[in-house]
Amino acid sequence: MSEPRKIVIVGAGLAGATAAGTLRERGYAGEILLLGTDTHRPYELPPLSKGLLLGTTEEPDWVHGEGFYEEKDITRRSGVTATRIELGARMVLDDAGGEHRFDRLVLATGSRPRTLPVPGGDLPGLLTLRTLDDALALRSAFKDARRVVIVGAGWIGTEAAAAAREHGAEVTVVDQVGSPLLAVLGEQVSAVFKDLHTEHGVNWRLGEGIAGFAGGPDGATGVRLKSGEELPADVVLVAVGAAPRVDLAHAAGLELSDDGGVCADAGLRTAAPDVYAIGDIAAHFHPRYGKRVRVEHWSNAKWQGEHVAGNLLGENEPYLKSPYFFSDQYDLGCEYRGLADPETDELVVRGDLAARDFTAFWLRDGRVAAAMNVNQWDDGDALKALVEGRASVTAAELKAADLKTLA
């Protein structure tokens, strides 16, 4: 594979910006175009729902320092949206009238917040959290709010609930599932987070569906539940997940996966010649799991951005890393590695759930599928090795043995 003269990267978030930077680190001397809708220079998303929302930091974690893209001769077009890909002509068109030919193309278009198709779902003032501007607006709203209602008890919803409580607001979290983070953690571990928020004054409306949002032309004023209860609010945050931005790829004829991502092989290549997909949109075949995997965590965006750079330059290596993410809520910090199915995997707990000082493991066929350390920080390398190696261990060993000897 000869070195391409021009690489176009559509999407200037963490994945796309990391790919661009890594290409230069690896000595690529050709033309790089980084095309993105956000007007800010590329930044990482985790601080948006953590330090930035709490007010403990005033800026996000920038992917690269100010002036980096100019110094590395990376052309960055901000505030521009790609509107069409012409695969035959190897060209990307944008809404500013630009026509960008490429030798290789990377799609890193990320995700958008999901909304609810219910009455009042389009009212002004319904907030979501995905961008830096979203985070700044939400933090400002939290500072002045007396009553906050958050729809969605996933990671964004629970982290936002913690931030709103820290700002002094009365907080109610609504979700149709029976416990926060249930699909990811299962009943026992999700109960830890439910109790944590309850102790900090969060009100729950779990197992409740949303009938609609109350309000009018001036904005949303509350949430109506299917039970008939209405929850008044000064601030309503809709945190019901994210949808991959695949309209551009789909219109170009690229294959989509069952969960709506862009199909890619183990090396992050799509079926179209010289077109790659990374980050939130990439449903790539993962050799470790033997199936397509699509992950929306910041680490996946960063690591795939780094990995794809090598393949763009001819390495053709499979992407093998396991998912990883972290969360901070009040005095609880945790890290999660791997990919568990809490409905079928065996849960093994090392430590004390009630004290929120433990490590949880999920075993599948006697092997470690995932691990999450909560307020324990000494065994990160061992946990990574256990998950990456799909270590064959017993529950008794995980509870009692030195984890370093098991890895």
Side-chain angles (χ1 to χ4, degrees):
M1 180 185 286
S2 60
E3 184 171 284
R5 290 174 298 175
K6 180 174 181 179
I7 296 173
V8 173
I9 303 171
V10 179
L14 175 58
T18 299
T22 305
L23 282 166
R24 288 294 189 238
E25 289 174 8
R26 299 188 63 128
Y28 174 62
E31 186 177 351
I32 301 174
L33 171 63
L34 186 60
L35 192 69
T37 59
D38 204 318
T39 56
H40 301 284
R41 80 175 188 268
Y43 52 87
E44 298 188 14
L45 297 185
L48 305 191
S49 59
K50 299 176 177 69
L52 201 75
L53 202 55
L54 285 164
T56 57
T57 182
E58 291 301 317
E59 290 192 351
D61 293 337
W62 304 106
V63 181
H64 298 109
E66 192 168 2
F68 173 87
Y69 303 97
E70 293 79 8
E71 293 169 7
K72 299 298 182 181
D73 194 24
I74 297 169
T75 302
R76 184 169 69 89
R77 300 281 175 83
S78 60
V80 174
T81 300
T83 56
R84 191 165 80 249
I85 301 169
E86 295 183 356
L87 293 175
R90 292 178 173 254
M91 182 181 293
V92 175
L93 286 71
D94 67 39
D95 61 355
E99 298 181 349
H100 313 288
R101 294 189 179 276
F102 62 84
D103 295 302
R104 301 214 173 102
L105 172 66
V106 179
L107 299 178
T109 45
S111 297
R112 62 169 62 86
R114 295 185 187 275
T115 57
L116 291 172
V118 297
D122 57 351
L123 283 172
L126 289 177
L127 300 179
T128 56
L129 179 54
R130 186 68 189 176
T131 68
L132 173 56
D133 290 337
D134 290 342
L136 294 174
L138 188 59
R139 183 178 70 184
S140 177
F142 280 174
K143 287 180 178 179
D144 298 329
R146 186 165 62 90
R147 294 171 299 192
V148 173
V149 175
I150 298 173
V151 180
W155 293 108
I156 295 296
T158 52
E159 289 183 355
R165 288 296 296 136
E166 294 288 351
H167 284 294
E170 175 186 319
V171 177
T172 301
V173 178
V174 184
D175 202 305
Q176 61 186 357
V177 302
S179 189
L181 306 165
L182 183 62
V184 178
L185 303 179
E187 290 186 7
Q188 284 182 264
V189 182
S190 71
V192 172
F193 288 83
K194 181 181 178 183
D195 292 344
L196 169 70
H197 283 271
T198 300
E199 290 174 16
H200 282 83
V202 170
N203 303 302
W204 297 106
R205 293 294 187 276
L206 297 171
E208 291 270 15
I210 303 297
F213 296 97
D218 294 331
T221 58
V223 178
R224 291 194 296 268
L225 305 182
K226 289 184 178 179
S227 64
E229 182 181 6
E230 184 165 316
L231 305 174
D234 307 304
V235 175
V236 179
L237 171 66
V238 179
V240 293
R245 295 179 181 271
V246 296
D247 294 350
L248 187 69
H250 183 52
L254 297 179
E255 180 185 0
L256 301 185
S257 63
D258 291 341
D259 67 350
V262 178
C263 291
D265 67 10
L268 305 173
R269 295 181 300 269
T270 72
D274 297 320
V275 179
Y276 296 73
I278 61 174
D280 290 5
I281 68 167
H284 87 289
F285 181 81
H286 200 303
R288 177 168 289 121
Y289 302 111
K291 63 179 182 180
R292 291 195 185 281
V293 173
R294 190 176 69 82
V295 178
E296 295 177 355
H297 303 312
W298 71 274
S299 58
N300 188 69
K302 178 178 176 62
W303 294 338
Q304 287 192 351
E306 293 171 346
H307 188 86
V308 81
N311 287 351
L312 287 164
L313 300 179
E315 290 188 356
N316 196 29
E317 292 293 326
Y319 178 79
L320 299 173
K321 287 185 178 292
S322 294
Y324 167 87
F325 66 87
F326 70 97
S327 183
D328 297 311
Q329 302 180 28
Y330 310 109
D331 58 353
L332 182 152
C334 66
E335 297 176 306
Y336 179 103
R337 297 169 173 84
L339 194 63
D341 182 350
E343 288 191 1
T344 58
D345 294 341
E346 177 188 2
L347 173 66
V348 179
V349 176
R350 176 189 177 106
D352 190 340
L353 284 174
R356 296 192 280 271
D357 184 13
F358 65 92
T359 297
F361 298 89
W362 287 267
L363 296 183
R364 184 178 310 148
D365 300 325
R367 295 182 177 275
V368 177
M372 184 174 77
N373 50 301
V374 175
N375 289 340
Q376 295 186 348
W377 308 107
D378 295 335
D379 294 316
D381 290 341
L383 296 177
K384 178 181 178 182
L386 288 167
V387 171
E388 295 283 350
R390 298 182 63 246
S392 178
V393 295
T394 66
E397 288 173 327
L398 288 175
K399 288 181 178 181
D402 182 343
L403 294 178
K404 296 179 180 64
T405 67
L406 300 177

